[in-house]
Amino acid sequence: MAQPDLKLDVAGVNALMARAFPDAPVEALPQVTDLAPGRAHIVRAYGGGMLRPGGVISGPNLMSLADTAAYALILAHIGDQLMAVTSSLVMNFLRGALPGDLHADASFLRLGRRIAVCDVKLWTESQDRLAAQATVTYAIPS
Amino acid sequence: MAQPDLKLDVAGVNALMARAFPDAPVEALPQVTDLAPGRAHIVRAYGGGMLRPGGVISGPNLMSLADTAAYALILAHIGDQLMAVTSSLVMNFLRGALPGDLHADASFLRLGRRIAVCDVKLWTESQDRLAAQATVTYAIPS
Amino acid sequence: MAQPDLKLDVAGVNALMARAFPDAPVEALPQVTDLAPGRAHIVRAYGGGMLRPGGVISGPNLMSLADTAAYALILAHIGDQLMAVTSSLVMNFLRGALPGDLHADASFLRLGRRIAVCDVKLWTESQDRLAAQATVTYAIPS
Amino acid sequence: MAQPDLKLDVAGVNALMARAFPDAPVEALPQVTDLAPGRAHIVRAYGGGMLRPGGVISGPNLMSLADTAAYALILAHIGDQLMAVTSSLVMNFLRGALPGDLHADASFLRLGRRIAVCDVKLWTESQDRLAAQATVTYAIPS
């Protein structure tokens, strides 16, 4: 689609996220590493407590990053609107995510004035072996 | 639907969950409080770090409990099969979850041999004011 | 949840639906058969062209009725607002729907001013053997 | 992802679809127009009875094409396995689909032995203005 303009850069989004989640342990806070119009890349460094039985990254960790990736994508394009809230998140788990840094790539399916719908792809091994795909909808305060 | 029989009791499921997530901080581990054929009730005690901007419980905390509630429901009915894995989770956020103990009620839409589909309702204030509803699908190992 | 009041009765909703879909073949138009605060029951009579390979009712027929059931439920509670539009529909197919009249039971997970989220259960054989479950979200025009 | 090989060509898939839905009115049967490894393009010609109030293509017509697009994609890659069945379909409606031929582009998020997860994008105006996005999961018979 015709892509919307960015309002913030990488440092700006990361600063906003740190402000949004003041209680989060620093090591659990994912970092935006790349932004382009309509697209954001975010990484959560691998750390303890992220695995589930079977030795793969747990579903809640994947869902949490999917949600955060969409939030970062939206903030990058609408600016300092911390009150955007998730209205739905649909997660498809595609294969076990082997231990490693967890990557998410988020892009807009639609950025409207009141609603943003984001496609998020997640992986640890490589972008060719997706661990999960999510569709995340946010309500944007008016 | 005609409800399946329970294979484990409350203490049995809680013991299994503690074994499944040995790294989880004790205070973050939800507890099953009630089981009936086809139904499980689970509670995560309110604690620090659970909020998002706006002072409501964050989406990842709600999604995590939805996933765990479905897992507990399934384990209660199929027994010690820790390798059951989430294949999809659909979360609808209905209203902000005010700070407080987080409750989830999980029931089967279908318990098949290979697939279980669970409906999960979540709230803090009261069951009449749902914070979220999830549909969680697990693949059951054969 | 505390249930909202009905604004229309069964005949009123059916008349509205017939007006909303003037092109629909009469036999394909489902009929609301019961309404209660927060709940609607709707039936599509079994007819030709509804099956898929395997001799069960096709997915699109089930999805269509799920969407219509949610629409009827919403109209019953907000009145003559034909411009309510589906914003998302999540369908879980639980077992094959044997040929027969197709029933749907819709209830609110939340009826807000701008958004309604509905749970819909579908079956042909009996309500104890669900063929599918849907979560349907509508945007309500202001 | 590394893309799977095609087992059928465009004519082969269209023949299979016509066989799968012998009752479907010819004009309602979408046609596959392009296939590539991991990807299928399908079109339903615009015709009467496809609109909903507001003059846009109705949700059930969009959902039906999303389901059919995923089915065609899967058949193209696994061959003559008509018994593949949808296990879930998640539809996000992004903007009204103006009257016109309805296009769908389906690609694999994952093609496993038992499960295929497909991403489907739908539009009438142009691929830059999506009307809807779906994630469709099929169970593949063994």
Side-chain angles (χ1 to χ4, degrees):
Chain A
M1 60 180 212
Q3 293 302 342
D5 291 333
L6 287 166
K7 289 220 175 138
L8 297 174
D9 61 11
V10 167
V13 177
N14 283 328
L16 210 47
M17 305 277 290
R19 184 148 67 79
F21 298 102
D23 289 348
V26 170
E27 71 281 3
L29 202 65
Q31 293 294 310
V32 176
T33 59
D34 279 295
L35 285 175
R39 188 169 294 269
H41 185 94
I42 188 167
V43 182
R44 177 171 172 192
Y46 180 66
M50 288 175 67
L51 302 185
R52 53 150 282 145
V56 294
I57 293 181
S58 76
N61 278 298
L62 294 167
M63 292 188 286
S64 178
L65 191 68
D67 187 48
T68 304
Y71 191 53
L73 174 69
I74 293 165
L75 293 180
H77 289 82
I78 68 173
D80 185 348
Q81 297 266 12
L82 293 182
M83 295 311 296
V85 292
T86 316
S87 54
S88 71
L89 185 147
V90 176
M91 188 82 173
N92 291 285
F93 297 93
L94 303 170
R95 60 169 64 80
L98 299 185
D101 293 346
L102 184 57
H103 295 256
D105 209 67
S107 59
F108 286 120
L109 290 167
R110 175 149 197 261
L111 173 59
R113 265 168 312 161
R114 287 176 14 174
I115 290 272
V117 185
C118 310
D119 175 82
V120 185
K121 294 183 166 63
L122 299 109
W123 69 91
T124 54
E125 297 169 77
S126 95
Q127 197 160 1
D128 282 350
R129 289 181 58 78
L130 295 181
Q133 180 271 342
T135 308
V136 189
T137 304
Y138 267 74
I140 300 174
S142 46
Chain B
M1 62 180 210
Q3 293 302 342
D5 292 332
L6 287 165
K7 288 220 176 139
L8 296 174
D9 61 11
V10 167
V13 177
N14 282 327
L16 210 48
M17 304 278 288
R19 185 147 68 79
F21 298 102
D23 289 349
V26 170
E27 72 282 3
L29 201 65
Q31 294 292 311
V32 176
T33 59
D34 279 295
L35 284 175
R39 187 169 295 269
H41 185 96
I42 188 168
V43 183
R44 179 171 170 189
Y46 180 65
M50 288 176 66
L51 302 184
R52 55 150 281 145
V56 294
I57 293 181
S58 76
N61 277 299
L62 294 167
M63 292 188 284
S64 179
L65 192 68
D67 186 47
T68 304
Y71 191 53
L73 174 68
I74 292 166
L75 294 181
H77 289 82
I78 68 172
D80 185 347
Q81 298 266 13
L82 293 182
M83 295 310 297
V85 292
T86 316
S87 53
S88 70
L89 186 148
V90 176
M91 189 82 174
N92 291 285
F93 297 94
L94 303 170
R95 59 169 63 81
L98 298 186
D101 292 346
L102 183 57
H103 295 256
D105 209 67
S107 60
F108 286 120
L109 291 167
R110 176 149 195 262
L111 173 60
R113 266 167 312 160
R114 287 175 16 171
I115 291 271
V117 186
C118 310
D119 176 81
V120 184
K121 295 182 165 63
L122 298 108
W123 70 90
T124 55
E125 297 169 76
S126 95
Q127 197 160 1
D128 282 349
R129 289 181 58 80
L130 294 182
Q133 180 271 342
T135 308
V136 188
T137 304
Y138 267 75
I140 300 174
S142 46
Chain C
M1 60 181 212
Q3 293 302 342
D5 291 333
L6 287 165
K7 289 221 177 139
L8 297 173
D9 62 10
V10 166
V13 177
N14 283 328
L16 209 48
M17 305 277 291
R19 185 147 67 78
F21 299 102
D23 289 348
V26 171
E27 73 280 5
L29 203 63
Q31 294 293 310
V32 176
T33 59
D34 279 295
L35 285 175
R39 187 169 296 268
H41 185 96
I42 188 168
V43 182
R44 177 169 172 192
Y46 180 67
M50 288 176 69
L51 302 185
R52 53 150 280 146
V56 293
I57 293 180
S58 76
N61 278 299
L62 294 167
M63 291 187 286
S64 178
L65 191 67
D67 187 48
T68 304
Y71 191 53
L73 175 68
I74 292 166
L75 294 180
H77 290 81
I78 68 173
D80 186 347
Q81 297 267 11
L82 293 183
M83 295 310 297
V85 293
T86 317
S87 55
S88 70
L89 186 147
V90 176
M91 188 81 174
N92 291 284
F93 298 94
L94 302 169
R95 59 170 62 81
L98 298 185
D101 293 346
L102 183 57
H103 296 256
D105 209 68
S107 59
F108 285 121
L109 290 167
R110 176 151 196 259
L111 173 60
R113 265 168 314 160
R114 287 176 13 173
I115 290 270
V117 185
C118 310
D119 175 81
V120 185
K121 294 182 166 63
L122 299 109
W123 69 91
T124 54
E125 297 169 76
S126 95
Q127 198 160 0
D128 282 349
R129 289 181 60 78
L130 295 181
Q133 179 270 343
T135 308
V136 189
T137 304
Y138 267 75
I140 301 173
S142 45
Chain D
M1 61 180 211
Q3 291 303 343
D5 293 333
L6 288 165
K7 288 220 176 139
L8 296 173
D9 62 10
V10 166
V13 176
N14 283 327
L16 209 48
M17 304 277 289
R19 185 146 67 78
F21 298 102
D23 289 348
V26 170
E27 73 281 4
L29 202 63
Q31 294 293 310
V32 177
T33 59
D34 279 295
L35 284 175
R39 188 169 294 268
H41 186 97
I42 189 168
V43 182
R44 178 170 171 189
Y46 181 67
M50 288 176 67
L51 302 185
R52 53 150 281 145
V56 293
I57 293 182
S58 76
N61 278 298
L62 294 168
M63 291 188 284
S64 179
L65 191 68
D67 186 48
T68 303
Y71 191 52
L73 174 68
I74 292 166
L75 294 180
H77 289 82
I78 67 172
D80 185 347
Q81 298 267 13
L82 293 182
M83 296 309 296
V85 293
T86 316
S87 54
S88 70
L89 186 146
V90 176
M91 189 81 174
N92 291 285
F93 297 94
L94 302 170
R95 59 169 63 79
L98 299 185
D101 293 345
L102 183 57
H103 294 256
D105 209 67
S107 59
F108 286 120
L109 290 167
R110 175 148 196 260
L111 173 59
R113 267 168 310 159
R114 288 175 15 173
I115 290 270
V117 185
C118 310
D119 175 81
V120 184
K121 294 182 165 63
L122 298 109
W123 69 91
T124 54
E125 297 169 77
S126 96
Q127 196 160 2
D128 281 349
R129 289 182 58 80
L130 295 182
Q133 180 270 341
T135 308
V136 189
T137 304
Y138 267 75
I140 301 174
S142 45

